[in-house]
Amino acid sequence: HSPLTDKARRLNTYETLLEMQKDGLIGAVGVCNYGVGALDEIITAGLPPPAINQIELSPFNQHTDIAAWAQKYGMVLSCASWSKLSKATGPVDGWNAVGKIADQKKMTKAQVLVRW
C-alpha cells in the first residue's frame, strides 16, 4: 500500500509483481502512494514503469510532479480523495477557485469538491 520501506525491498517487491504478471497471475502491476523518487528508482533499475499509481488527489493535494511523471511514462493515476470534504469548512471557505466554480455552477463548495 505504501513505499515506506527501503529501496531494495521496494524494488524486490516490484520485481516479484512483474514475475507474477509474466506468469499470468496478475494483469497489471501498480503501486500506491509512490512519489517521484520511488518511481524513478524503478526506471533507474531498468524496469518498466507501473501501469497505475493510486494516490490522493484533491484541489489541496494535486501532486503535479507525480502527474507529470505519469504523463511522461504513460502511467495511469488512480485518484483517491478521502479527506477533501473534511477541509470544506476550513481552507476551502477562503479558496477563491472553489468559490468561483461553486458560484458559476450554482453549487455549494462541498458539491464542487465531491465532483472533483
Side-chain angles (χ1 to χ4, degrees):
H1 173 75
S2 142
L4 298 178
T5 60
D6 62 83
K7 177 181 175 180
R9 285 182 70 187
R10 279 191 299 274
L11 290 175
N12 182 270
T13 300
Y14 192 76
E15 289 170 335
T16 300
L17 290 169
L18 290 172
E19 284 296 319
M20 292 174 70
Q21 182 184 34
K22 182 180 170 187
D23 293 342
L25 298 173
I26 59 176
V29 176
V31 295
C32 185
N33 295 319
Y34 269 47
V36 170
L39 292 165
D40 281 341
E41 290 173 355
I42 293 169
I43 299 304
T44 301
L47 301 171
I52 190 166
N53 186 10
Q54 181 185 21
I55 60 173
E56 179 183 355
L57 285 176
S58 74
F60 310 102
N61 200 2
Q62 295 187 25
H63 294 296
T64 55
D65 57 338
I66 299 172
W69 195 100
Q71 186 172 19
K72 178 179 177 179
Y73 289 99
M75 180 181 70
V76 173
L77 291 179
S78 173
C79 307
S81 300
W82 301 280
S83 63
K84 61 187 168 199
L85 284 180
S86 68
K87 298 174 184 171
T89 58
V92 176
D93 289 340
W95 202 40
N96 293 335
V98 173
K100 240 183 197 179
I101 294 168
D103 291 343
Q104 289 172 351
K105 301 293 183 182
K106 300 193 183 335
M107 302 169 85
T108 67
K109 292 174 186 173
Q111 288 172 317
V112 170
L113 292 176
V114 167
R115 294 288 298 200
W116 175 273

